[in-house]
Amino acid sequence: MEPSRAAVEVRKDETTRLYEALIDGQVVGNLAYETTGGRVSLTHSYVNEDQRHRGVASALARYALEDLSQSQLKAGIYCGFVADYVEDHPEWKDAVDINRSAFLATRTARDTNSGR
């Protein structure tokens, strides 16, 4: 049985440099970002194990990309999940700069090594 999709709220915490995903008021995942020299980079994401496969990471990626698209700056993507999200949602490709050499063994990193 597939887990039900709960309503995911996403907020940006500029103090911790995290986009945070909340379900019922509890933080269940985050997407870290760094700002250096006027450039924003999405570095890594995490979702609690019991909340995975419920759209939490996708909600984080979508919110962050929408937020960054308002800045008119190209976002650097170092997070494998966000890179996969952009691959699946090509409307974001012009707004980001994906650095595949920095990935850990995510789907994108494996596919890149196999000629994708």
Side-chain angles (χ1 to χ4, degrees):
M1 176 181 232
E2 186 175 320
S4 64
R5 295 200 181 260
V8 179
E9 174 191 345
V10 180
R11 68 183 178 201
K12 182 178 181 180
D13 185 335
E14 293 183 14
T15 304
T16 60
R17 294 183 315 272
L18 293 172
Y19 291 96
E20 297 177 321
L22 298 94
I23 295 178
D24 296 328
Q26 298 293 315
V27 175
V28 296
N30 59 58
L31 172 57
Y33 68 92
E34 296 290 332
T35 305
T36 307
R39 180 178 170 89
V40 177
S41 298
L42 301 175
T43 59
H44 61 277
S45 59
Y46 177 81
V47 174
N48 294 352
E49 282 189 46
D50 63 335
Q51 297 299 323
R52 293 180 183 168
H53 310 289
R54 295 180 180 207
V56 174
S58 293
L60 283 164
R62 183 175 45 258
Y63 185 95
L65 291 166
E66 288 171 355
D67 180 54
L68 295 173
S69 71
Q70 296 176 21
S71 72
Q72 306 288 323
L73 297 174
K74 222 173 199 188
I77 306 298
Y78 296 88
C79 172
F81 181 86
V82 177
D84 290 343
Y85 183 88
V86 171
E87 290 292 324
D88 293 339
H89 299 86
E91 65 270 20
W92 293 110
K93 285 189 178 189
D94 291 338
V96 300
D97 190 13
I98 297 175
N99 185 343
R100 296 181 190 282
S101 65
F103 289 165
L104 297 175
T106 63
R107 184 185 88 198
T108 300
R110 287 190 307 266
D111 292 346
T112 299
N113 292 332
S114 65
R116 177 177 163 194

